[in-house]
Amino acid sequence: MLYAIISQDVEHSLEKRKSVRPAHIERLNMLKDEGRLILAGPHPAIDNNEPGEAGFTGSLVVAEFDCLEEAQTWADADPYLISGAYANVVVKPFKRVLP
């Protein structure tokens, strides 16, 4: 089943994000290589794909997991959460309708 992992950043999270970004991306690439990643990306803090020092306010990952518990366990191990860049993470079942 698909799950949406919706993360909210702490204020001024950019340096914390930068410090662990390679590990964060590595985990996402593992999901991609397994064919389980649907989409992933951050929410820019301003209306611009390259927000610079404004940074990001959170992230969204939609991926396939066997169950909610597995998705939550994966989300809880995210380097952004462990580093303190994320204030909180919500994991919800996701039903893809389109496309």
Side-chain angles (χ1 to χ4, degrees):
M1 180 167 186
L2 295 179
Y3 294 88
I5 301 169
I6 306 153
S7 307
Q8 182 72 36
D9 280 26
V10 299
E11 286 192 47
H12 311 292
S13 63
L14 189 57
E15 291 307 314
K16 289 178 182 178
R17 277 176 165 268
K18 286 179 179 178
S19 72
V20 294
R21 187 172 190 275
H24 173 79
I25 296 298
E26 180 180 342
R27 296 178 79 239
L28 291 170
N29 277 324
M30 288 172 57
L31 285 178
K32 184 183 84 165
D33 292 347
E34 294 168 357
R36 300 190 302 147
L37 183 64
I38 304 303
L39 64 88
H43 302 286
I46 60 174
D47 192 12
N48 190 312
N49 278 333
E50 300 298 330
E53 291 303 309
F56 302 93
T57 62
S59 299
L60 171 65
V61 174
V62 177
E64 185 176 344
F65 293 93
D66 289 335
C67 62
L68 179 59
E69 182 180 357
E70 181 185 335
Q72 186 69 60
T73 298
W74 187 90
D76 288 344
D78 194 297
Y80 283 173
L81 182 62
I82 294 167
S83 74
Y86 286 162
N88 61 62
V89 177
V90 175
V91 180
K92 296 179 170 186
F94 181 79
K95 180 182 176 183
R96 184 177 184 165
V97 174
L98 293 172

